[in-house]
Amino acid sequence: MTVTAVLFWLVAGLTGGSALMVVLTQNIVRAAAWLLFTLAGTAILYFLLAADFVGATQLIVYVGGTLVLVVFGVMLTAQGPFLTMKAGAGEWGVATVVGILFFGVLAATASFTVWPTTPPDRVAAANSPTTQQLGQSFLGATQAMPKANLTGYPPGVKPDLRREVAYLLPFEIVSVHLLVVLIGAAYLARAKRRREVAA
Amino acid sequence: MASFLTERGLPPVLAGFLIAFLAAVVLVTFVALSAVFFIWLERKVAGRIQDRLGPTRVGGKFGWLQTIADGLKLIAKEDCIPADADHFLFRIAPYIAFCGAFVAFLALPFGNYAVAAEMNVAVFFMLAVMSSEVFGIILAGYGSGSKWSLFGGIREAAQVVSYEVPRAIGVLVPVIVAGTLNLNTIGRNQVGGIWNWYVFHDPFTFAAFFVFFTCGTASCKRAPFDLAEAESELVAGFHTEYSGLRWSLFFMAEYGAMFAISGIATILFLGGWHLGFLPYDLSEMLGVSGSFGWFLGNVVNVTVFIVKGWLLVFVMMWVRWTLPRLRIDQVMMTCLKYLLPIACVLLIGVSLWQLVVPPNFRDYFKYMITAVSLTALGIFLVKVLSAAPPKGMIPPSMDRWTPHPAETRA
């Protein structure tokens, strides 16, 4: 057992526990607070696995953005002091079925994937320019590919790197999608101009 | 250090935990002690700017023990939770805010080799962690069950989420020059003369420094952007209902975040731990890794870095006590109408500068911008320091309250 392994199990347990609390809490903002621990725990797991960039992105997108917006929305829209909601039996049933199915998909994916068995080297990861490779593959540059360390392939199988790693098209689609969302949000939120009635 | 411990028979797990614990203790002590110093400094600076003395009595001269006295008072205060508050949220909110400010220090290099965890994406990590600090403030505002707190929380959410965008773009400008997000590498790149500091690199980084520092001040909710607190409108904003130690945690978080922002600004723009006139890194110049000279060089580096950070924190205080608070619409307009477009232009500008402008001209420009701005700074400092006190004003002594001549006569 290394430090990383000990911390991994500890943080994974805490993350799972707080995820359970998110589901069981009826007060929305309390659920958001538990979600904070879940998301931060996931980010810590990424850091422990030497995926610094993914971990930091997780924090800035979900904790700094999404969670703040959840609470902000509740503060702006709630009628009473503390908003709670109770799920009915039907909703519990649907949620349980969907949850079990989703868990099945995740478990199947995890068991069919061939995982690398060597633990990640934190020091090497700290010094390797992973963001550079990421950016280049987003832009479709294939020269960087032989160095990109792909996981999820059985040993001996050489993936078609050009197709798998060059993410230019999805990157563009996501960018345009974000732009559309931004313009839509600005349109919805803009102040409605009142027409002056001629006297 | 890990090998030093394991060679003496300590299991690797324990050695790892011990080192992590030591690093955490050193960082917590630094954050807490600099908060103590900053609170005293803030009182003193505020006093001088408002033409009074600030603390003078506690601890003999200069009131230097004032913060300790404040701390004792806060510990002795009753820790009340309002009956209408959401107890769970009310209790955890200060810890979330403090964690957000403190964890950022993990990736902040104080010197070439003085960093708790060297990260490939250090500056991104720091921004990400500090953006989660706001969540604690919002929870405090929501969980207090008070109108004033709720208003403070809403303002904080709107303000910080907006200012994060130009702040991140402002960070990207020197990152494009450096070609890395690793703060250690960015610091190492600025070795040598003062003209190698990124703030003097080109007109775009020069402007980006001010954009970043403004957004940093706003994201620490410091005046003129302290809308979440706004004691003249909202009693005390998000911390109206807090008292005692929980209240002081918010202030530890605020002062910690101020130093963290100043630290990022120091490394990205102001040459990090470099003195600005030595051609080499001091720790590498004085000896090989592990020798006494290397250690000494590191101590000097860390000191230089901390002094630069403190100077920026001092500027934040100076701004706070000089400028009046903006209205919330002015705060949002400053961000979305001015800072955000300026930051975008700077980002495009610095990319073009790196790609298009010939290297000779870039060097020439670097020396010119350094000379001009240092001269301007020098003239400014001479003017400020040599300014005569207004006619009829008695120059007050720094450490003791001197009665006005009119009072002694009476």
Side-chain angles (χ1 to χ4, degrees):
Chain A
M1 289 280 269
T2 56
V3 183
T4 316
V6 174
L7 285 177
F8 183 89
W9 287 109
L10 190 73
V11 174
L14 290 175
T15 310
S18 59
L20 207 63
M21 287 304 293
V22 175
V23 183
L24 296 177
T25 314
Q26 287 173 351
N27 182 323
I28 293 179
V29 179
R30 279 196 192 190
W34 283 112
L35 194 58
L36 166 77
F37 295 122
T38 315
L39 295 171
T42 318
I44 294 173
L45 291 183
Y46 287 137
F47 290 130
L48 286 174
L49 296 173
D52 295 354
F53 182 73
V54 187
T57 312
Q58 161 96 4
L59 275 182
I60 204 165
V61 171
Y62 289 108
V63 179
T66 313
L67 272 184
V68 170
L69 286 184
V70 166
V71 183
F72 193 47
V74 171
M75 285 198 292
L76 283 182
T77 55
Q79 303 287 322
F82 294 111
L83 200 62
T84 56
M85 52 186 203
K86 234 181 163 109
E91 287 167 319
W92 271 109
V94 173
T96 313
V97 171
V98 172
I100 289 174
L101 285 178
F102 185 59
F103 182 76
V105 171
L106 285 185
T109 315
S111 57
F112 291 140
T113 310
V114 181
W115 299 101
T117 46
T118 47
D121 185 356
R122 276 207 54 84
V123 179
N127 295 322
S128 68
T130 48
T131 42
Q132 202 176 13
Q133 289 171 1
L134 206 62
Q136 283 179 340
S137 47
F138 270 146
L139 294 175
T142 44
Q143 291 93 314
M145 286 318 107
K147 283 184 190 163
N149 192 11
L150 284 183
T151 54
Y153 286 94
V157 176
K158 281 217 163 171
D160 184 355
L161 291 170
R162 180 175 279 273
R163 209 169 293 153
E164 292 292 337
V165 189
Y167 295 113
L168 183 60
L169 185 64
F171 179 65
E172 285 298 320
I173 291 175
V174 169
S175 314
V176 173
H177 177 76
L178 270 178
L179 187 68
V180 170
V181 169
L182 279 177
I183 294 174
Y187 176 77
L188 288 176
R190 85 188 201 291
K192 303 281 184 295
R193 218 169 272 151
R194 206 177 292 151
R195 291 243 172 99
E196 294 286 321
V197 183
Chain B
M1 193 164 157
S3 59
F4 173 82
L5 288 171
T6 42
E7 277 162 20
R8 275 152 189 78
L10 212 65
V13 179
L14 273 182
F17 271 117
L18 198 66
I19 290 169
F21 182 72
L22 274 181
V25 166
V26 169
L27 283 178
V28 168
T29 314
F30 174 76
V31 176
L33 282 184
S34 45
V36 166
F37 172 68
F38 288 153
I39 290 170
W40 171 82
L41 187 69
E42 177 108 58
R43 284 161 166 269
K44 215 62 188 167
V45 168
R48 302 299 292 182
I49 289 177
Q50 296 172 343
D51 202 8
R52 39 186 191 88
L53 297 178
T56 51
R57 304 268 169 97
V58 190
K61 283 192 172 262
F62 308 122
W64 66 280
L65 279 176
Q66 183 66 43
T67 320
I68 308 288
D70 286 346
L72 286 176
K73 181 197 75 175
L74 286 172
I75 291 171
K77 263 187 168 180
E78 187 189 354
D79 177 28
C80 347
I81 301 178
D84 281 344
D86 185 323
H87 288 214
F88 171 68
L89 298 180
F90 190 86
R91 279 170 201 271
I92 62 164
Y95 300 113
I96 294 177
F98 180 72
C99 283
F102 167 69
V103 172
F105 280 87
L106 286 184
L108 181 69
F110 284 73
N112 200 349
Y113 300 96
V115 57
E118 182 169 348
M119 270 192 196
N120 174 34
V121 291
V123 62
F124 184 50
F125 172 82
M126 287 190 72
L127 289 184
V129 171
M130 288 175 69
S131 75
S132 52
E133 183 199 341
V134 53
F135 196 66
I137 310 289
I138 295 173
L139 280 189
Y142 181 82
S144 292
S146 147
K147 286 179 234 172
W148 309 120
S149 305
L150 187 67
F151 275 122
I154 290 179
R155 286 178 172 190
E156 170 81 1
Q159 176 185 328
V160 172
V161 170
S162 317
Y163 272 88
E164 255 169 35
V165 181
R167 184 177 73 173
I169 299 178
V171 164
L172 277 183
V173 173
V175 163
I176 281 181
V177 175
T180 175
L181 289 164
N182 187 332
L183 283 173
N184 287 62
T185 315
I186 294 177
R188 271 177 220 133
N189 284 353
Q190 302 175 64
V191 69
I194 197 169
W195 50 86
N196 284 345
W197 294 5
Y198 281 155
V199 67
F200 301 128
H201 186 270
D202 56 67
F204 304 104
T205 49
F206 187 76
F209 171 66
F210 297 100
V211 170
F212 172 75
F213 197 66
T214 312
C215 296
T217 313
S219 60
C220 298
K221 56 192 179 310
R222 295 284 297 181
F225 305 103
D226 60 343
L227 271 296
E229 212 179 304
E231 70 277 358
S232 55
E233 308 159 30
L234 297 182
V235 188
F238 67 93
H239 60 71
T240 306
E241 306 293 340
Y242 281 87
S243 77
L245 217 54
R246 286 180 206 283
W247 181 85
S248 67
L249 277 177
F250 282 121
F251 277 80
M252 297 269 276
E254 180 175 327
Y255 286 99
M258 275 163 71
F259 188 83
I261 284 286
S262 305
I264 298 180
T266 305
I267 292 182
L268 288 182
F269 296 100
L270 299 182
W273 51 85
H274 298 298
L275 276 165
F277 51 83
L278 293 174
Y280 306 107
D281 189 291
L282 205 56
S283 59
E284 282 163 2
M285 199 168 79
L286 291 179
V288 289
S289 172
S291 67
F292 176 72
W294 177 82
F295 185 73
L296 193 74
N298 269 318
V299 170
V300 176
N301 280 348
V302 171
T303 316
V304 170
F305 176 78
I306 290 177
V307 168
K308 283 184 187 175
W310 280 355
L311 279 179
L312 288 182
V313 171
F314 170 74
V315 173
M316 281 189 187
M317 292 178 181
W318 179 12
V319 169
R320 170 175 178 178
W321 296 101
T322 309
L323 296 178
R325 180 181 305 122
L326 300 175
R327 275 199 325 261
I328 182 73
D329 61 317
Q330 291 169 332
V331 167
M332 300 307 285
M333 192 181 70
T334 314
C335 175
L336 297 175
K337 277 194 186 163
Y338 298 108
L339 289 175
L340 187 58
I342 291 173
C344 292
V345 168
L346 293 178
L347 185 67
I348 296 170
V350 77
S351 316
L352 290 178
W353 183 272
Q354 293 291 94
L355 288 174
V356 180
V357 178
N360 294 342
F361 183 76
R362 271 194 268 168
D363 281 348
Y364 167 71
F365 200 88
K366 193 163 79 175
Y367 298 132
M368 200 180 72
I369 203 168
T370 312
V372 169
S373 40
L374 286 185
T375 318
L377 187 70
I379 293 174
F380 174 75
L381 282 181
V382 167
K383 282 267 184 197
V384 166
L385 293 179
S386 65
K391 216 175 169 188
M393 183 185 145
I394 298 131
S397 93
M398 274 293 278
D399 61 331
R400 208 176 323 131
W401 179 74
T402 38
H404 193 271
E407 289 177 44
T408 45
R409 251 180 279 138

